[in-house]
């Protein structure tokens, strides 16, 4: 299980929405930037008030639950009380990014999901054994 500690003041400065993927990718390419990784990940999302839960199923590792605790206090919980209420208190909890979760499995995230700039595919478009 992965607990995500949001930093909204930082997110606001770096997160934006785009309605046209190709135009955005062309923009980055014109700036001299090429994709370093590409991964297709099935995600199932849930909400408890303002607390977001996402189950991510990356091809190279076991599925994991990510909990965004940005609004946890506002919803009247601590991490411990939330996990206990959900019956998850006995699960391993880590506070780390997706790349570091892959390292727990001795997998280099950027190697296994490396983008092939020539044909805009990644190795993960092929079958990856877990």
């Amino acid at each position: 299980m992965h607990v995500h500690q949001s930093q909204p003041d930082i997110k606001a400065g770096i997160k934006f929405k785009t309605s046209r993927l190709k135009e955005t990718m062309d923009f980055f390419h014109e700036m001299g930037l090429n994709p370093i990784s590409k991964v297709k990940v099935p995600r199932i999302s849930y909400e408890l008030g303002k607390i977001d839960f996402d189950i991510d199923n990356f091809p190279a590792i076991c599925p994991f639950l990510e909990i965004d605790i940005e609004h946890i206090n506002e919803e009247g919980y601590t991490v411990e009380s939330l996990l206990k209420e959900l019956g998850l208190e006995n699960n391993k909890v880590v506070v780390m990014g997706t790349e570091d979760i892959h390292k727990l499995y001795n997998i280099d995230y950027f190697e296994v999901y490396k983008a092939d700039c020539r044909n805009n595919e990644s190795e993960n478009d092929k079958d990856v054994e877990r």
Side-chain angles (χ1 to χ4, degrees):
M1 183 171 11
H2 164 60
V3 176
H4 178 66
Q5 177 64 53
S6 294
Q7 296 179 1
D9 53 330
I10 294 174
K11 276 187 172 182
I14 61 172
K15 224 177 194 184
F16 65 93
K17 293 183 180 182
T18 179
S19 60
R20 294 182 181 92
L21 177 61
K22 178 161 179 14
E23 286 179 15
T24 304
M25 292 180 71
D26 289 346
F27 169 76
F28 282 124
H29 182 72
E30 288 171 15
M31 292 181 61
L33 302 173
N34 290 309
I36 57 171
S37 66
K38 179 181 174 188
V39 61
K40 294 178 184 176
V41 179
R43 169 177 270 193
I44 302 171
S45 299
Y46 300 88
E47 290 181 334
L48 175 63
K50 292 183 177 180
I51 303 170
D52 295 325
F53 301 85
D54 296 313
I55 301 171
D56 289 332
N57 191 5
F58 282 81
I61 63 173
C62 296
F64 63 88
L65 171 65
E66 177 181 323
I67 304 173
D68 189 331
I69 60 172
E70 178 180 347
H71 300 287
I72 197 166
N73 294 331
E74 188 178 327
E75 291 295 327
Y77 293 100
T78 63
V79 172
E80 294 77 19
S81 68
L82 177 64
L83 295 178
K84 184 170 183 162
E85 183 167 320
L86 297 173
L88 300 172
E89 69 273 16
N90 295 321
N91 288 277
K92 181 178 181 178
V93 176
V94 296
V95 180
M96 59 178 54
T98 304
E99 296 86 5
D100 289 328
I101 292 172
H102 278 72
K103 286 179 187 174
L104 295 174
Y105 294 90
N106 296 315
I107 295 172
D108 182 333
Y109 176 91
F110 293 104
E111 185 61 35
V112 76
Y113 305 124
K114 184 183 339 183
D116 182 345
C117 297
R118 293 168 297 183
N119 62 14
N120 206 21
E121 289 183 1
S122 72
E123 286 299 313
N124 119 67
D125 289 337
K126 304 170 191 156
D127 289 330
V128 177
E129 284 190 39
R130 287 188 200 168

